Amino acid sequence: MTEQQRASLAGPAGPDVRPEQAVEAVRAWIEAHVPAPWREAAERGGPREVRAVRTPEEYRSWYPVFGASGLVAPTWNVEHGGLGWKRPVAAAVERLLRPYHLPRLNPLGLNLVAPALYAHGRPEQRDRFLGPIARGEEVWCQLFSEPGSGSDLASLSTRAELDGDTWVVTGQKVWTTWADRADFGVLLARTDPDLPKHQGISYLLIEMRQPGIEVRPLPHIGGETEFFEVFFDGARVPDSHRIGEAGNGWRVAQATLSGERQMVSGSGSGGVDRIGGVSASHLVRLARRRTEAGLPGGWDHPATRERIVWLWCEERTRAWTNQRIRDRLAGNLPPGPESSIGKVHGSELNQRIQEMAADLLGGDAVAWPGSASTPGEYWDGMPAEVRGLLRSRANTIEGGTTEVNKNVIAERVLGLPKDFDPYRGRPWRELPRS
């Protein structure tokens, strides 16, 4: 870390900092570095008011200030872009920051890559990658799923063969978020096909902007493009960018998969509150809007209120449960298999919230201006609630299907026997594949 970066930290660093000491320092940092209109909006009405006065472009332009503060990942070591704080100190500061709505812009790097680096990376690898991740200088994607290896990820067939001190990669990945903008990706590749499928896999950090990599968009039902196919034809990875031992990538990947499940576990997860759609609090506003318009089934209807309050209570419970899981992150430990519990409940809860939002729109959820005139682009003018409903249908698939995560809960949390696998222990090259 340079002296200039060290001087821009938001407060005293180290494990001995007290919560009140950190809060006071960060309060001063907010006054000095957060633009006045954002501060005033936050103090007036929290995140909703901040979003009303600040564009995403303005926030991205300002983000390097946040990245240099150490507050993006305050429990990380100072040399890795953090402040070295203990979890209670970081939690106290996070409560202070919440009204100012300062989201992390590199969630895949922070939540998927960093746990693997801390758990399995070499010191020089952590020194190279963690700082740029915390500061948002290098964007990451995850290259795990394949057309024939989704739920059964360990059956993946993308190959990496060692050529001197460089791995040469050939194959295909799919459903890769941010592949179009990523500087690096975490890649699982088959490096020894003669071993059983969970062995012979290596975990590589691949530079995305190089010859031999082609990225193709995959638009989804809401008309947006956030997923991509990635094709590898002779792309290269130096062996120094391998995390863990060659052939031991499945073990390394568990840190990334646990981080992914935690990131998409809903409210309070520390990653994203929901992928697709609105919060339970928004349901209250929609219901009140119906009542004000004189429409049935609004906030004045007892059954509507009961349904919304029940969803709101579940969302709060989800947040509290996720906070307990996040406590495992103290000391930079991966969240563990318990994160699958949050993933299963959080994804299904979000789907029910988005279904309720669409119900409250009534006929507007079925047709909207422009939807009939341009049937090939039906998403033009689509209400945000409908877009959220459509997007949420993927919640029980992405980040590990609900069925897979229930197996994780059964086997790793409850200690139940593993499913019978007639091919267990056989070399990967002998397994039937689609």
Side-chain angles (χ1 to χ4, degrees), residues 43-58:
E43 291 156 8
R44 187 168 60 244
R48 287 187 65 200
E49 290 291 330
V50 173
R51 285 192 290 266
V53 301
R54 185 186 74 197
T55 67
E57 291 74 20
E58 288 172 334

Side-chain angles (χ1 to χ4, degrees), residues 210-223:
Q210 63 166 298
I213 297 181
E214 180 184 358
V215 177
R216 299 180 190 173
L218 284 171
H220 61 62
I221 194 171

Side-chain angles (χ1 to χ4, degrees), residues 75-76 85-87 110-111 115 118 255 258-259 262-263 268-271 322-336 339:
T75 60
W76 292 10
W85 288 346
K86 292 181 179 178
R87 184 70 207 171
L110 291 165
N111 293 282
Y118 265 115
S258 291
Q262 171 63 12
M263 184 179 70
S269 65
N322 279 331
Q323 183 58 56
R324 290 200 300 271
I325 296 173
R326 289 180 69 190
D327 287 343
R328 284 181 54 89
L329 298 173
N332 301 309
L333 296 174
S339 59

